[in-house]
Amino acid sequence: MSLMNKTPDRRKFLDSLEMGVSYFSDYSTNFNKVVTISHNDADGISCLLIIQNLLYKMNLAYDYFIYNRSVSWKNYLNGIFPKRKDKKTAYIFTDVGSNLSELIPIIKTRPEYFFILDHHEVESIITPDEYPENLIFINPTLYGFDGLDHVAGATLAYMFAKRLKSSIIKQGWLTVIGIAGDSLKSMDKLQSFNKEVYQELAMEEVFIDKEGLILFGSMHSSIKNGLKHSILPFVEGFGGETDKKIKKSLSDSGIDPNKKVIDLTDHEINKIQEITNLNSIGNYAVLPQKQGLLKFAFEHALLLNILCFKNISAALSVIQLKKVTRYAKNVYLEYVDSLAKNLKILSNELPKFETEKAIFINVKGKIPPSNWSDTASFCSVNELLDPYKIIFLGGLEKKSQTIKLSIRCTRKFLEENNGRGVNTVISGIKEELGGTGGGHKLAGGIRLSRASYKRLKQDVDRFIEY
């Protein structure tokens, strides 16, 4: 359901939020336990802890589960629901749950109350009068808001929780992590409710808002490492390069390569922008109660995203720590180093096949399959290639002998194509060429036979315009 051109209706969204809050407040005295189900990324983990803090403050017993979208809701929930149905249990979904066509038939058979707080676009058009009485569905995209630019999952969870317990503001740093991880931009570029909540929390001194050189991925490190490992922006000519080359460029400009990014003077920042041809001044969030890598909201969120796919227990642990563990730090450094090198390879070395609407990139064994998705994502976010074309990055997967593709597009592409994005293109490809896969407007993936891949390359513009 495309809402790209729909004007946001602030009043209607806030009315729906207030109604959901009222329902939860009124019925909470009947709940013996509240189960939270959240997504396995930084935004989802932040949502989970915000809601857990709320339930603790309300003296409600709680439990939680993490959903990674690898199985259907039916199979997943069958493993969670108790055999005996219990009206005194409630479920809160955060950062997931907009698959209403799949969830509503399940919820209709249950006596429990379901509160869904999600910011992803609803996959099918279902009107509120079709919702079962035990479903309270709160989603800002229904009212014209953008789920990435306007309202992160953690923003929505915070707005919900704060209306029930104003003291939740002390946990607002969790919201900042969620916003940083989902928005993928400097904090001065935030919009709508993300911006409002961020500014409110800054005024309450829950975190510190700072302005400076933005090298997201390495804000906690030296300028040498910052230029080498920054993934947003990716600094062409420096990203993924050798220490020797970066040190020489900095030293030749009179800048200490080991000076911390956050300690650079205005003169040094201007000099760095000259030698890198970079324009990257902006605002970033610092969490004063934390140390090192965890002190910086974007880096904290990125670490959570990495751990969520490697070790979910470590992710749930590290968000509550003041200082990063050695294991988590090593995982983080390995990730940013590999990603920066892969973005360099993509920019300079990989063969590309271009049409009017698409760019195909064959990794040719130079980027491991496990890194294809993130490399494609940060290539798109950084607009390393033509932002008005869809990126198809991938190659032959030896195990399955199929062509695996990570597909990405930019906001600029969506605006020029009336909101038609990656998920729609993938649906059209599957309908005609077969294959398996899916995604959302900006990102997705598909596996195709070699013959189908050949046909896709020959006729890709038709699938994009279809």
Side-chain angles (χ1 to χ4, degrees):
M1 186 166 74
S2 177
L3 295 166
M4 284 294 292
N5 301 315
K6 185 175 177 181
T7 302
D9 192 325
R10 182 183 180 90
R11 183 186 60 79
K12 283 189 177 180
F13 163 60
L14 290 176
D15 284 348
S16 75
L17 177 62
E18 295 290 355
M19 185 185 74
V21 168
S22 294
Y23 269 108
F24 191 83
S25 178
D26 292 345
Y27 290 110
S28 61
T29 53
N30 298 322
F31 300 151
N32 286 337
K33 184 171 74 170
V34 179
V35 178
T36 306
I37 298 173
S38 202
H39 188 213
N40 68 325
D41 65 1
D43 196 25
I45 299 299
S46 299
C47 290
L48 171 64
L49 290 197
I50 289 167
I51 297 301
Q52 283 191 326
N53 273 281
L54 168 68
L55 299 173
Y56 174 79
K57 291 174 186 294
M58 295 180 71
N59 295 314
L60 289 168
Y62 54 84
D63 199 355
Y64 73 90
F65 294 92
I66 304 295
Y67 181 60
N68 64 10
R69 296 194 175 107
S70 64
V71 296
S72 70
W73 274 115
K74 182 179 180 181
N75 289 339
Y76 183 78
L77 293 173
N78 278 343
I80 291 174
F81 289 147
K83 290 181 180 180
R84 289 184 61 187
K85 296 181 180 181
D86 183 7
K87 281 187 176 182
K88 294 187 178 294
T89 298
Y91 292 87
I92 299 181
F93 290 51
T94 57
D95 199 33
V96 289
S98 288
N99 325 72
L100 290 184
S101 59
E102 190 180 352
L103 280 169
I104 283 179
I106 299 169
I107 292 171
K108 280 182 175 177
T109 67
R110 306 293 306 185
E112 304 95 341
Y113 273 94
F114 290 78
F115 296 82
I116 297 179
L117 315 175
D118 194 21
H119 69 133
H120 296 93
E121 283 197 9
V122 182
E123 293 184 356
S124 51
I125 300 173
I126 297 177
T127 58
D129 58 4
E130 296 177 76
Y131 299 169
E133 288 185 3
N134 59 332
L135 169 63
I136 291 84
F137 184 67
I138 305 169
N139 188 320
T141 69
L142 294 177
Y143 307 97
F145 290 94
D146 187 289
L148 288 177
D149 285 344
H150 296 159
V151 193
T155 300
L156 180 58
Y158 171 81
M159 292 171 70
F160 179 86
K162 188 191 168 197
R163 282 164 169 77
L164 287 158
K165 287 289 180 180
S166 61
S167 60
I168 207 76
I169 200 165
K170 293 177 182 177
Q171 280 73 46
W173 59 272
L174 293 162
T175 310
V176 176
I177 291 174
I179 291 172
D182 243 33
S183 63
L184 296 179
K185 61 183 69 174
S186 58
M187 300 297 97
D188 51 293
K189 293 185 173 73
L190 295 177
Q191 301 175 46
S192 190
F193 291 107
N194 282 342
K195 180 178 180 179
E196 291 175 27
V197 167
Y198 182 89
Q199 290 177 336
E200 172 190 304
L201 293 169
M203 289 287 289
E204 293 288 337
E205 299 182 346
V206 172
F207 70 98
I208 301 169
D209 177 67
K210 290 194 172 185
E211 183 183 46
L213 182 65
I214 299 297
L215 294 173
F216 282 155
S218 283
M219 293 298 292
H220 61 292
S221 196
S222 67
I223 182 59
K224 171 182 68 70
N225 291 336
L227 294 174
K228 182 178 181 177
H229 290 147
S230 176
I231 57 175
L232 191 67
F234 173 72
V235 188
E236 294 193 66
F238 291 83
E241 293 290 351
T242 63
D243 287 352
K244 184 178 179 180
K245 178 180 177 180
I246 299 171
K247 277 183 178 180
K248 185 177 186 309
S249 293
L250 290 169
S251 296
D252 287 349
S253 299
I255 298 167
D256 178 2
N258 296 315
K259 192 169 188 178
K260 292 277 190 180
V261 172
I262 58 169
D263 293 334
L264 294 168
T265 65
D266 289 344
H267 174 73
E268 289 169 327
I269 289 173
N270 289 334
K271 200 74 179 174
I272 288 165
Q273 295 204 109
E274 283 178 24
I275 65 173
T276 59
N277 194 28
L278 191 67
N279 181 17
S280 188
I281 302 295
N283 290 57
Y284 58 97
V286 172
L287 309 175
Q289 76 275 29
K290 300 212 173 199
Q291 299 173 26
L293 187 157
L294 299 184
K295 198 176 186 73
F296 298 85
F298 182 91
E299 283 69 17
H300 199 317
L302 181 61
L303 174 60
L304 289 175
N305 283 329
I306 297 165
L307 291 176
C308 279
F309 289 94
K310 281 185 172 287
N311 185 336
I312 190 66
S313 297
L316 291 166
S317 170
V318 82
I319 196 171
Q320 301 180 71
L321 299 177
K322 287 187 176 182
K323 187 177 179 181
V324 69
T325 62
R326 183 177 179 181
Y327 163 77
K329 185 177 181 179
N330 288 339
V331 167
Y332 183 91
L333 289 175
E334 180 185 341
Y335 175 88
V336 292
D337 187 65
S338 296
L339 181 54
K341 287 176 180 175
N342 290 337
L343 290 171
K344 176 193 168 188
I345 290 168
L346 184 149
S347 298
N348 303 323
E349 300 176 28
L350 295 182
K352 302 172 183 68
F353 168 77
E354 293 196 42
T355 68
E356 184 183 345
K357 294 277 188 181
I359 302 174
F360 286 85
I361 307 165
N362 190 333
V363 296
K364 293 273 184 184
K366 292 192 175 183
I367 299 176
S370 59
N371 294 355
W372 292 356
S373 178
D374 285 353
T375 303
S377 292
F378 280 93
C379 170
S380 181
V381 171
N382 281 289
E383 297 186 0
L384 299 183
L385 304 175
D386 189 337
Y388 296 100
K389 295 184 180 184
I390 287 189
I391 297 168
F392 294 79
L393 182 147
L396 179 67
E397 189 178 55
K398 292 181 180 179
K399 185 178 180 181
S400 64
Q401 285 297 300
T402 59
I403 302 296
K404 178 186 173 186
L405 297 170
S406 290
I407 309 174
R408 302 292 185 272
C409 76
T410 66
R411 291 277 178 189
K412 289 178 180 176
F413 178 91
L414 291 180
E415 288 165 7
E416 194 171 80
N417 290 272
N418 298 314
R420 180 179 172 78
V422 169
N423 53 345
T424 311
V425 173
I426 289 175
S427 295
I429 293 170
K430 289 197 299 183
E431 189 176 324
E432 190 167 325
L433 302 179
T436 59
H440 55 79
K441 287 197 169 194
L442 294 171
I446 195 169
R447 281 183 171 85
L448 295 167
S449 67
R450 294 192 197 194
S452 292
Y453 176 62
K454 185 177 179 180
R455 286 180 58 195
L456 173 64
K457 286 182 72 174
Q458 291 171 345
D459 217 8
V460 67
D461 288 347
R462 180 174 63 81
F463 285 106
I464 293 172
E465 295 169 349
Y466 179 65

